[in-house]
């Protein structure tokens, strides 16, 4: 299966939220990475056919998704950034409600719902009202409902936002358990979320795709540009103005600073192996640097 | 054509084997249709696959009314129209350039073959000509496939044939496209 | 000459060379197309959707409908003959349908609709189902009142026709408002406005009731058909656009 966007564009008034995006997805996990307001949500909404594009189109195996209609939605799972729910529904009833809408036969639905609640660790609160759930619990319901119909295409908008570290690990395990025969697209602005799960990463900035490559290749692109240095507070202030800092660690004998720079930032700096975080700050960190 | 109805009913029930049979029966003929229009094997293969996906997607709505083949070509004709629309938006420049080179590089005195000549007449005339002479659809069926009135179709065929003959005789066609 | 043309072109067509496509390549097309084969799973019927939607309608809605129904039936039956039955029905007839639309908007927020939109049976079927429920309720409501009021010397057909005409007309207006604004408050405004204006007119001026009661049956039928067509047409427009409408009271 091949999901593709062709010059996909969305304008809100004279603001261009998504700008001529051309992407092709085949099976695998894709991370959509971009800072706040980059257009991730807008792009995803167009890909699940709930927001009409200003121009361009989304196709599955060459056929526009708007024409596939119900057949497309049948193989689609979507977790929005903001998960809606009926406050007076219990978790089970809500999932059952969506299962009927997804056309899942009722005899299969009950077992599937129990399995999913178990998977996201909410089995014991299945009969509690959603109105009493915490934000993190609602997000886990959001993940569960996206998996109800065993989708071939899974679109998750910031699935890990609001989850605590333990839940993040659980989520990562869920994703890796899903069989390989799917297209999974997840957006985030937290790099560590996708570092170990995404095979390919899309870098989105002000609505434009500025990078689309495998994680390894992206890491390679900043190879030789990531430095570690031990500096004092005074030095750090100067450095912050001049360089892109990707991480600072407070140590007993000073500060361990991670710097992304084409040139050696200071004489005590040593090269170190890059992480996805470095790629992120390299592209999104500071305007002076990333005009490459 | 009883068998065809049976096959389609089986596809409606999700029968993979029946679907394979249907696709294999009509693949070449749909492919040829796109090939006559585009002159490109790659593009025609893509378009043919897309048409079969559409056919399978819409099959539940197909009401065993009229010839299946006519319905199939209605889907194909619509798909081709979308294809041109998309092309025009994005590739006008290339297309124009491509055409220029094409005309320049051809020796005008030599007689062209029909395939090349077809690519030189306007799309809306080429379409009914191919459906009539290659596939043997009646003008009534063509008017249904293309959602146009029958006299319109007849007119287009007449004009198209005149142009084709001129081109085939090696006369300048006076056509910008 | 035409025939000559025909055979000439047909012959040429026979000579056209079409490149071969290998069996493997066709097999690949079959594999891809197989993803789009109809699901053999049992299909959810429209009735199931309706039942499902019934379960999301709040109790308050049913309670209000029932209360108004009983109240108006009693009013028609036992009130003084001064108040015309037709007048009462004209005032109250669109209430269930409009309440249903209000309930639909009130109970949702755009975030819930987003989840519903990506389901196989999406929002179009869902909301149309919901409106059908409202319409059905409304007809039951009208018939109940009519039957209950039939003890008085009134024309059942006339009452039903007037009632449904008003219902369709107001439903039509409410749908326009829903499409354009997508919030429940304006629809409540429409309902309140109708009840106020119509009751003021009717209570002040028996003359108007007179006119309505004296319209020929054919005229009533014509009005009924026009309003039903308007409503159906806009229901269609609504269903067409709904996938991309922002509907619901609660802003995210
Ligand atoms: N309905 C709307 N009307 C007007 N502008 C909008 C609308 N939705 C989004 N935008 C704008 O489009 C841009 C992209 O928004 P979007 O929500 O897609 O970004 P995002 O990458 O998902 O951000 P975040 O990380 O905050 O979720 C933003 O500048 C936003 O203000
Ligand atoms: Mg977002």
């Amino acid at each position: 299966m091949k999901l593709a966007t062709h010059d996909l564009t969305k304008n809100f008034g004279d603001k261009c939220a998504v700008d001529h995006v051309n992407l092709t997805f085949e099976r695998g996990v894709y991370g959509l990475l971009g800072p706040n307001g980059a257009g991730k949500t807008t792009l995803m909404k167009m890909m699940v056919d709930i927001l009409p594009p200003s121009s361009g189109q989304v196709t599955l195996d060459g056929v526009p998704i708007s024409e596939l209609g119900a057949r497309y939605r049948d193989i689609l799972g979507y977790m929005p950034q903001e998960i809606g729910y009926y406050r007076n529904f219990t978790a089970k009833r809500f999932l059952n409600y969506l299962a009927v809408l997804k056309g899942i036969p009722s005899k299969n639905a009950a077992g599937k719902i129990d399995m999913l609640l178990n998977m996201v660790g909410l089995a014991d609160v299945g009969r509690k009202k959603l109105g009493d759930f915490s934000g993190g619990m609602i997000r886990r319901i959001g993940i569960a409902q996206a998996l109800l119909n065993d989708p071939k295409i899974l679109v998750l908008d910031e699935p890990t936002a609001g989850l605590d570290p333990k839940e993040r690990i659980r989520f990562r395990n869920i994703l890796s358990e899903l069989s390989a025969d799917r297209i999974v697209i997840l957006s985030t602005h937290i790099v560590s979320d996708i570092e170990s799960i995404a095979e390919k990463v899309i870098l989105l900035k002000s609505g434009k795709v500025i990078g689309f490559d495998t994680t390894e290749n992206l890491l390679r692109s900043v190879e030789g540009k990531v430095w570690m240095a031990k500096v004092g507070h005074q030095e750090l202030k100067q450095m912050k103005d001049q360089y892109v800092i990707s991480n600072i660690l407070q140590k007993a004998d000073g500060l361990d600073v991670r710097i992304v720079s084409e040139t050696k930032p200071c004489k005590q700096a040593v090269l170190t192996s890059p992480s996805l975080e470095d790629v992120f700050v390299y592209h999104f960190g500071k305007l002076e640097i990333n005009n490459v | 054509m009883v068998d065809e109805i049976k096959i389609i009913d089986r596809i409606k029930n999700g029968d993979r084997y029946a679907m394979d049979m249907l696709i294999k029966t009509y693949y070449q003929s749909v492919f040829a249709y796109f090939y006559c229009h585009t002159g490109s094997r790659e593009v025609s293969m893509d378009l043919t696959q897309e048409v079969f996906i559409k056919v399978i997607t819409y099959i539940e709505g197909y009401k065993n009314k009229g010839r299946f083949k006519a319905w199939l070509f209605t889907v194909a004709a619509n798909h081709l129209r979308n294809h041109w629309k998309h092309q025009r938006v994005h590739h006008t420049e290339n297309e124009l350039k491509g055409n220029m080179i094409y005309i320049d590089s051809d020796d005008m005195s030599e007689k062209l073959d029909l395939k090349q000549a077809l690519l030189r007449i306007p799309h809306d005339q080429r379409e009914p000509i191919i459906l009539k002479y290659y596939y043997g659809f009646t003008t009534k069926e063509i008017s249904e496939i293309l959602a146009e009135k029958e006299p319109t179709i007849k007119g287009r065929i007449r004009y198209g044939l005149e142009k084709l003959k001129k081109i085939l005789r090696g006369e300048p066609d006076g056509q910008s496209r | 000459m035409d025939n000559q043309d025909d055979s000439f072109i047909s012959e040429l067509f026979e000579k056209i060379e079409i490149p071969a496509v290998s069996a493997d390549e066709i097999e690949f097309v079959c594999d891809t197309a197989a993803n789009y084969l109809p699901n053999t799973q049992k299909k959810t019927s429209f009735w199931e959707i309706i039942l499902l939607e019934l379960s999301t309608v709040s109790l308050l809605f049913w309670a209000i409908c029932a209360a108004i129904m009983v109240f108006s039936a009693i009013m028609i039956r036992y009130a003084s003959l001064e108040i015309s039955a037709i007048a009462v029905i004209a005032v109250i007839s669109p209430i269930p349908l409009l309440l249903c639309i209000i309930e639909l908007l009130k109970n949702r927020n755009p975030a819930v609709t987003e989840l519903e939109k990506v389901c196989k049976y999406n929002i179009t079927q869902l909301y149309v189902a919901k409106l059908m429920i409202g319409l059905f309720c409304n007809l039951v409501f009208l018939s109940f009142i009519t039957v209950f009021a039939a003890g008085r010397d009134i024309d059942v057909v006339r009452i039903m026709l007037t009632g449904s005409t008003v219902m369709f007309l107001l439903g039509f207006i409410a749908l326009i408002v829903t499409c354009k604004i997508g919030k429940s408050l304006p629809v409540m405004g429409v309902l309140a406005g109708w009840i106020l204006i119509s009751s003021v007119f009717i209570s002040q001026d028996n003359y108007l009731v007179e006119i309505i009661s004296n319209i020929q049956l054919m005229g009533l039928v014509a009005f009924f058909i026009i309003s039903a067509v308007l409503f159906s047409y806009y229901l269609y427009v609504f269903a067409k656009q709904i996938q991309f409408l922002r509907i619901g009271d609660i802003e995210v």
Side-chain angles (χ1 to χ4, degrees), chain A residues 36-42 81 157-158 187 189:
Chain A
N36 286 117
K40 303 183 293 294
T41 300
T42 310
Q81 188 165 3
D157 199 355
E158 310 226 0
S187 78
H189 56 259

Side-chain angles (χ1 to χ4, degrees), chain A residues 90-141:
Chain A
T90 65
K92 273 195 175 177
R93 186 170 164 212
F94 185 60
L95 290 178
N96 195 47
Y97 174 75
L98 291 174
V100 177
L101 291 184
K102 285 175 190 263
I104 299 164
S106 44
K107 63 174 193 297
N108 304 357
K112 183 92 199 172
I113 289 168
D114 285 339
M115 195 271 276
L116 286 171
L117 282 174
N118 214 4
M119 194 171 177
V120 297
L122 292 174
D124 49 336
V125 288
R127 300 198 181 281
K128 291 242 163 66
K129 291 240 163 90
L130 291 176
D132 301 330
F133 275 32
S134 72
M137 286 157 94
I138 289 294
R139 298 208 66 76
R140 285 188 272 160
I141 289 291

Side-chain angles (χ1 to χ4, degrees), chain C residues 15 28 53 57 64 78-79 101 128 156 162 175-176 184 189-190:
Chain C
K15 278 189 226 142
F28 179 77
E53 274 309 294
V57 180
I64 292 179
Y78 299 110
I101 295 176
V128 171
V156 173
T162 316
L175 275 186
I176 293 181
S184 68
V190 170

Side-chain angles (χ1 to χ4, degrees), chain B residues 18-51:
Chain B
M19 184 202 78
D20 283 11
M21 280 211 314
L22 186 88
I23 293 180
K24 282 169 188 164
T25 310
Y26 285 110
Y27 188 94
Q28 288 296 350
S29 125
V30 175
F31 175 79
Y33 170 76
F34 287 126
Y35 187 76
C36 288
H37 278 289
T38 63
S40 152
R41 182 173 184 271
E42 296 310 308
V43 173
S44 305
M45 279 180 63
D46 283 350
L47 292 173
T48 309
Q49 167 168 324
E50 285 153 26
V51 161

Side-chain angles (χ1 to χ4, degrees), chain A residues 1 45 48-52 60-61 68 70-71 73-76 78 80 82-86 89 93-94 97-98 100-106 108 145 152, chain C residues 32-33 35-39 41-44 48-49 52-53 55-56 107-109 111-112 114-122 125-127 243-244 246 252:
Chain A
M1 230 181 263
K45 282 188 180 176
V48 299
D49 201 22
I50 58 176
L51 184 71
L60 183 61
D61 289 327
L68 290 170
R71 208 42 70 71
R73 295 194 298 271
D74 202 13
I75 55 168
L76 178 71
Y78 170 56
E82 205 73 46
I83 291 150
Y85 54 94
Y86 293 106
F89 274 31
R93 186 170 164 212
F94 185 60
Y97 174 75
L98 291 174
V100 177
L101 291 184
K102 285 175 190 263
I104 299 164
S106 44
N108 304 357
Q145 64 79 29
K152 293 240 169 64
Chain C
T32 310
N35 288 320
Y36 300 88
L37 270 173
N39 244 332
Q41 291 179 338
K42 185 194 69 122
K43 301 204 175 63
T44 311
E48 266 179 277
I49 302 270
L52 189 73
E53 274 309 294
S55 75
T56 65
N107 222 340
R108 270 163 221 257
N109 58 51
V112 176
E114 237 169 51
L115 284 181
E116 290 167 342
K117 279 175 189 172
V118 296
C119 290
K120 181 175 182 191
Y121 295 92
N122 75 339
Q125 282 122 316
L126 209 64
Y127 285 10
Q243 180 78 0
F244 301 127
R246 275 180 78 77
V252 195

Side-chain angles (χ1 to χ4, degrees), chain C residues 117-148:
Chain C
K117 279 175 189 172
V118 296
C119 290
K120 181 175 182 191
Y121 295 92
N122 75 339
I123 198 153
T124 314
Q125 282 122 316
L126 209 64
Y127 285 10
V128 171
K130 195 132 197 169
L131 290 175
M132 289 299 169
I133 295 172
L135 208 59
F136 183 74
C137 270
N138 211 332
L139 289 174
V140 169
F141 174 91
L142 279 180
S143 342
F144 178 84
I145 298 176
T146 315
V147 169
F148 205 79

